[in-house]
Amino acid sequence: DAKTTQPTSMDCAEGRAANLPCNHSTISGNEYVYWYRQIHSQGPQYIIHGLKNNETNEMASLIITEDRKSSTLILPHATLRDTAVYYCIVRVATDNDMRFGAGTRLTVKP
Amino acid sequence: DTAVSQTPKYLVTQMGNDKSIKCEQNLGHDTMYWYKQDSKKFLKIMFSYNNKELIINETVPNRFSPKSPDKAHLNLHINSLELGDSAVYFCASSQLAGGVTDTQYFGPGTRLTVL
């Protein structure tokens, strides 16, 4: 009952922008889009979240389409340390249940 | 000053044994969680505790029991360990039991291997 679809893997050149897509065509009006990442052998790390407006923080930008059926996480200048599995999650804000799918394995190459 | 810490980092034990994994958070958060990451790398929530009350239990076998001595700690006890319990277990915490700004912060994980 996955709510999101992400590519299995992506490569990005160091210093370039990494654009990670996520499809969530069944998203409900009260569900937010969250992004986490998991670097090898570490716990998941929060990146960013949004409802319908685009969001930006010190780590990344989140672009959500107007119909909210898809979104893109942008790492503006990828570094080797950004190599990780990136998870796109949709959830109601009041829901404690974070259901992680398979994610996208991003490899940043020199 | 790690925000969410877990001990031990690695745990190797025999089938049938009883073991515990400890988790502590120094963020002053009200809610703590346990997740299991299996060999296929899927992360699944097991429990969450808010103010010493269990608020989620995702059909986890009753061999698993979370115990919270105080708001900063949520330990995971596992009885009669089975081979299928082998996985990485992550502890997490969040400020509130839900909410827009309820970001979950994860610990480094405990790799449990049952022989």
Side-chain angles (χ1 to χ4, degrees):
Chain A
D1 60 341
K3 292 186 174 182
T4 63
T5 304
Q6 299 177 251
T8 303
S9 63
M10 294 181 63
D11 291 342
C12 177
E14 188 178 18
R16 304 297 293 268
N19 298 290
L20 293 94
C22 179
N23 287 324
H24 31 80
S25 58
T26 61
I27 192 170
S28 302
N30 61 346
E31 287 183 315
Y32 286 72
V33 179
Y34 284 77
W35 283 84
Y36 278 75
R37 72 180 182 184
Q38 187 173 20
I39 296 171
H40 182 62
S41 297
Q42 296 183 23
Q45 177 189 23
Y46 166 80
I47 301 174
I48 199 167
H49 75 277
L51 182 62
K52 53 183 178 181
N53 296 325
N54 298 336
E55 302 289 343
T56 296
N57 63 19
E58 65 278 3
M59 290 184 67
S61 294
L62 174 61
I63 308 298
I64 302 174
T65 58
E66 191 169 345
D67 63 7
R68 303 211 319 126
K69 293 185 177 182
S70 65
S71 60
T72 301
L73 178 74
I74 301 173
L75 307 178
H77 305 286
T79 71
L80 299 179
R81 287 175 293 182
D82 291 322
T83 292
V85 178
Y86 287 77
Y87 297 98
C88 171
I89 301 162
V90 295
R91 62 182 273 246
V92 178
T94 55
D95 187 2
N96 282 326
D97 194 358
M98 297 273 287
R99 295 184 183 271
F100 289 75
T104 296
R105 180 172 297 278
L106 174 69
T107 303
V108 180
K109 298 183 175 181
Chain B
D1 58 343
T2 304
V4 182
S5 59
Q6 296 177 227
T7 54
K9 187 171 179 61
Y10 300 97
L11 181 56
V12 181
T13 188
Q14 300 287 331
M15 281 177 56
N17 284 350
D18 303 336
K19 291 293 180 184
S20 295
I21 305 172
K22 295 184 177 181
C23 177
E24 177 181 3
Q25 55 95 3
N26 62 7
L27 298 168
H29 286 169
D30 286 328
T31 305
M32 297 183 70
Y33 311 81
W34 276 105
Y35 286 81
K36 177 182 180 181
Q37 188 170 39
D38 59 24
S39 58
K40 296 183 178 180
K41 303 298 183 183
F42 287 101
L43 262 167
K44 295 182 180 179
I45 192 167
M46 300 176 70
F47 303 102
S48 70
Y49 248 76
N50 175 257
N51 291 329
K52 296 192 177 184
E53 293 184 18
L54 180 67
I55 54 178
I56 294 179
N57 184 333
E58 287 288 316
T59 64
V60 173
N62 57 14
R63 297 182 296 103
F64 291 78
S65 57
K67 288 183 170 35
S68 179
D70 54 59
K71 197 173 77 168
H73 296 84
L74 183 64
N75 303 324
L76 182 64
H77 297 270
I78 314 171
N79 296 324
S80 302
L81 278 157
E82 300 177 357
L83 293 177
D85 298 333
S86 295
V88 181
Y89 292 84
F90 289 100
C91 176
S93 72
S94 66
Q95 178 66 42
L96 302 168
V100 173
T101 58
D102 182 37
T103 302
Q104 294 187 15
Y105 295 85
F106 286 78
T110 295
R111 181 173 294 277
L112 171 65
T113 302
V114 182
L115 303 176

